[in-house]
């Protein structure tokens, strides 16, 4: 028996995804302060009623956007780890390349993600969505030393924040020795 796809549900999920992607583009361009139901609807090319139908409040929209960012990053990191393991690498080169990409061509997206994470410091209802990224990453990466792993994650956050305020983004070659140091067993 062939399973039928509910067309309305699929269109609704597609519309929801378009709204989240539009929200992220607005945050990249204008910051979180630029996010309203109207601006998101205009960016997505949908009626404002669509944004309010899928997300009754701006917090709901921001939470969904944070969750989507965490899911995208977790997927990317998962495949990066998988590639590194298949080559027998500890991952310093792969992590340095990922950071260079995040600070170069994907700089706007990285700024948007950090702006959302920082907003969670002011809005407790956003915190579970912001922590989701760390929860997902922690569940994906095998580590024997909890302290070393937390130092690694804090170091990566620091490299990203520092890279975002640099006039020129660091290259993978510049980042690699620092990442390699963070990955050294203690």
């Amino acid at each position: 028996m062939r399973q039928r796809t509910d067309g309305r549900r699929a269109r609704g999920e597609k519309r929801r995804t378009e709204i989240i992607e539009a929200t992220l583009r607005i945050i990249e361009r204008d910051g979180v302060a630029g996010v309203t139901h109207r601006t998101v609807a205009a960016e997505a090319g949908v009626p404002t009623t669509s944004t309010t139908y899928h997300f009754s409040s701006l917090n709901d929209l921001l939470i969904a956007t944070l969750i989507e960012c965490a899911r995208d990053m977790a997927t990317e990191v998962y495949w990066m780890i998988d590639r590194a393991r298949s080559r027998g690498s500890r991952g310093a080169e792969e992590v340095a390349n990922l950071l260079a990409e995040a600070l170069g061509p994907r700089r706007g997206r990285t700024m948007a993600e950090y702006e959302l994470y920082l907003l969670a410091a002011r809005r407790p209802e956003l915190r579970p969505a912001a922590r989701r990224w760390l929860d997902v990453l922690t569940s994906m990466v095998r580590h024997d030393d909890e302290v070393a792993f937390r130092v690694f994650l804090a170091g990566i956050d620091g490299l990203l924040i520092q890279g975002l305020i640099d006039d020129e983004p660091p290259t993978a070659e510049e980042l690699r020795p620092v990442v390699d140091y963070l990955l050294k067993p203690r």
Side-chain angles (χ1 to χ4, degrees), residues 70-88:
R71 186 178 334 192
D72 290 351
M73 183 58 86
T75 300
E76 191 173 349
V77 169
Y78 173 83
W79 290 113
M80 179 200 64
I81 291 167
D82 187 60
R83 285 189 303 273
R85 285 182 181 152
S86 71
R87 291 199 311 260

Side-chain angles (χ1 to χ4, degrees), residues 76-159:
E76 191 173 349
V77 169
Y78 173 83
W79 290 113
M80 179 200 64
I81 291 167
D82 187 60
R83 285 189 303 273
R85 285 182 181 152
S86 71
R87 291 199 311 260
S89 165
R90 282 189 339 178
E93 182 178 341
E94 292 82 2
V95 172
N97 288 334
L98 184 70
L99 293 172
E101 177 81 13
L103 294 168
R106 293 185 54 222
R107 183 182 189 91
R109 169 80 181 244
T110 303
M111 282 193 306
E113 290 170 353
Y114 270 98
E115 189 165 347
L116 283 166
Y117 293 137
L118 289 174
L119 182 64
R122 293 191 186 276
R123 296 190 189 170
E125 62 275 13
L126 297 177
R127 289 179 190 159
R131 281 193 292 265
R132 186 173 182 159
W133 152 244
L134 291 174
D135 295 342
V136 168
L137 187 60
T138 302
S139 71
M140 288 175 20
V141 178
R142 289 186 303 237
H143 57 281
D144 299 326
D145 184 342
E146 184 69 28
V147 172
F149 186 67
R150 289 182 61 101
V151 167
F152 172 75
L153 292 178
I156 295 302
D157 274 337
L159 288 170

Side-chain angles (χ1 to χ4, degrees), residues 21 29 31-32 37 47 52 59 63 73 77 85 87 102 110 119 139 143 148-149 156 160 162 165 171 178 180:
E21 289 170 357
R29 186 181 60 236
V32 171
H37 281 290
T52 57
N59 276 345
I63 288 168
M73 183 58 86
V77 169
R85 285 182 181 152
R87 291 199 311 260
T110 303
L119 182 64
S139 71
H143 57 281
F149 186 67
I156 295 302
L160 286 167
Q162 290 173 7
I165 61 172
T171 65
V178 179
D180 194 43

